[in-house]
Amino acid sequence: MSKHVEAGPTAVEGRIGAFAQTVVKDGRDLASQLPEVASGARDVLSATQRGLDHLSDGGIVAAMAVSTGFAAGLLVAGAPRLVLALALIPMGIVSRSLLTRGVGPASLFQ
Protein backbone atom coordinates (compact mmCIF):
# COMPACT_ATOMS: atom_id res chain seq x y z
CA MET A 1 0.00 0.00 0.00
CA SER A 2 1.42 3.35 -1.00
CA LYS A 3 1.20 6.43 1.08
CA HIS A 4 -0.37 9.47 -0.50
CA VAL A 5 1.30 12.63 0.71
CA GLU A 6 -0.46 15.98 0.23
CA ALA A 7 2.00 18.28 -1.39
CA GLY A 8 1.99 21.93 -0.37
CA PRO A 9 2.26 24.73 -2.84
CA THR A 10 5.31 24.47 -5.01
CA ALA A 11 7.84 27.23 -5.34
CA VAL A 12 6.39 28.26 -8.71
CA GLU A 13 2.87 28.51 -7.31
CA GLY A 14 4.17 30.62 -4.45
CA ARG A 15 5.93 32.99 -6.85
CA ILE A 16 2.84 33.29 -9.03
CA GLY A 17 0.72 34.09 -5.99
CA ALA A 18 3.20 36.73 -4.81
CA PHE A 19 3.31 38.23 -8.31
CA ALA A 20 -0.50 38.38 -8.46
CA GLN A 21 -0.64 40.12 -5.09
CA THR A 22 1.97 42.64 -6.23
CA VAL A 23 0.03 43.36 -9.43
CA VAL A 24 -3.20 43.88 -7.49
CA LYS A 25 -1.49 46.16 -4.95
CA ASP A 26 0.20 48.24 -7.67
CA GLY A 27 -3.06 48.46 -9.62
CA ARG A 28 -4.88 49.78 -6.56
CA ASP A 29 -2.10 52.33 -5.95
CA LEU A 30 -2.33 53.47 -9.56
CA ALA A 31 -6.12 53.72 -9.44
CA SER A 32 -5.95 55.85 -6.29
CA GLN A 33 -3.76 58.37 -8.13
CA LEU A 34 -6.03 58.74 -11.18
CA PRO A 35 -8.12 61.63 -9.77
CA GLU A 36 -4.94 63.63 -9.10
CA VAL A 37 -3.65 62.93 -12.61
CA ALA A 38 -6.96 63.97 -14.16
CA SER A 39 -7.01 67.16 -12.12
CA GLY A 40 -3.45 67.99 -13.17
CA ALA A 41 -4.26 67.37 -16.83
CA ARG A 42 -7.31 69.61 -16.56
CA ASP A 43 -5.19 72.37 -15.04
CA VAL A 44 -2.61 72.08 -17.82
CA LEU A 45 -5.27 72.21 -20.53
CA SER A 46 -6.94 75.27 -19.03
CA ALA A 47 -3.57 77.03 -18.71
CA THR A 48 -2.85 76.19 -22.36
CA GLN A 49 -6.21 77.57 -23.41
CA ARG A 50 -5.58 80.80 -21.46
CA GLY A 51 -2.22 81.14 -23.22
CA LEU A 52 -3.85 80.65 -26.61
CA ASP A 53 -6.50 83.23 -25.77
CA HIS A 54 -3.75 85.85 -25.41
CA LEU A 55 -2.37 85.20 -28.91
CA SER A 56 -3.42 87.18 -31.95
CA ASP A 57 -5.23 85.50 -34.83
CA GLY A 58 -1.92 85.35 -36.71
CA GLY A 59 -0.26 83.69 -33.74
CA ILE A 60 -2.99 81.08 -33.57
CA VAL A 61 -2.61 80.39 -37.31
CA ALA A 62 1.16 80.04 -36.86
CA ALA A 63 0.64 77.64 -33.93
CA MET A 64 -1.74 75.62 -36.09
CA ALA A 65 0.81 75.48 -38.90
CA VAL A 66 3.58 74.34 -36.55
CA SER A 67 1.49 71.64 -34.89
CA THR A 68 0.17 70.41 -38.25
CA GLY A 69 3.67 70.33 -39.71
CA PHE A 70 4.99 68.44 -36.73
CA ALA A 71 2.23 65.82 -36.94
CA ALA A 72 2.67 65.50 -40.72
CA GLY A 73 6.42 65.04 -40.30
CA LEU A 74 5.87 62.25 -37.80
CA LEU A 75 3.39 60.60 -40.15
CA VAL A 76 5.80 60.73 -43.08
CA ALA A 77 8.65 59.48 -40.90
CA GLY A 78 6.61 56.42 -39.94
CA ALA A 79 6.19 57.17 -36.25
CA PRO A 80 4.16 54.72 -34.16
CA ARG A 81 0.43 55.38 -33.95
CA LEU A 82 0.56 56.31 -30.28
CA VAL A 83 3.20 58.98 -30.92
CA LEU A 84 1.18 60.30 -33.84
CA ALA A 85 -1.97 60.42 -31.71
CA LEU A 86 -0.12 62.38 -29.04
CA ALA A 87 1.16 64.79 -31.69
CA LEU A 88 -2.42 65.44 -32.81
CA ILE A 89 -3.49 66.68 -29.36
CA PRO A 90 -1.94 70.17 -29.75
CA MET A 91 -3.44 70.41 -33.22
CA GLY A 92 -6.88 69.73 -31.76
CA ILE A 93 -6.43 72.30 -29.02
CA VAL A 94 -5.32 74.98 -31.48
CA SER A 95 -8.12 74.03 -33.89
CA ARG A 96 -10.65 74.51 -31.12
CA SER A 97 -9.22 77.93 -30.39
CA LEU A 98 -9.38 78.84 -34.09
CA LEU A 99 -13.00 77.77 -34.37
CA THR A 100 -14.12 79.61 -31.24
CA ARG A 101 -12.59 82.82 -32.63
CA GLY A 102 -14.35 82.40 -35.92
CA VAL A 103 -11.15 82.12 -37.93
CA GLY A 104 -12.18 80.08 -40.94
CA PRO A 105 -10.31 78.72 -43.94
CA ALA A 106 -11.04 81.83 -46.03
CA SER A 107 -9.31 84.12 -43.56
CA LEU A 108 -6.28 81.81 -43.35
CA PHE A 109 -5.37 82.33 -47.02
CA GLN A 110 -5.69 86.11 -47.24
Side-chain angles (χ1 to χ4, degrees):
M1 202 192 287
S2 68
K3 285 188 171 180
H4 179 62
V5 178
E6 278 286 323
T10 64
V12 173
E13 290 173 342
R15 283 189 233 155
I16 290 173
F19 176 73
Q21 289 174 352
T22 302
V23 168
V24 168
K25 179 186 169 294
D26 290 347
R28 286 183 181 150
D29 291 344
L30 181 67
S32 70
Q33 295 174 2
L34 283 179
E36 296 171 16
V37 170
S39 174
R42 190 177 318 114
D43 293 343
V44 167
L45 286 175
S46 62
T48 301
Q49 190 62 46
R50 283 193 304 271
L52 287 173
D53 289 342
H54 288 31
L55 288 177
S56 65
D57 286 348
I60 295 287
V61 170
M64 182 67 177
V66 167
S67 61
T68 303
F70 184 68
L74 286 172
L75 178 66
V76 170
R81 290 180 186 153
L82 178 64
V83 173
L84 189 59
L86 291 175
L88 292 175
I89 292 172
M91 198 168 98
I93 293 170
V94 175
S95 297
R96 179 179 175 267
S97 191
L98 276 172
L99 293 174
T100 57
R101 287 182 180 209
V103 178
S107 63
L108 294 178
F109 297 110
Q110 291 180 358

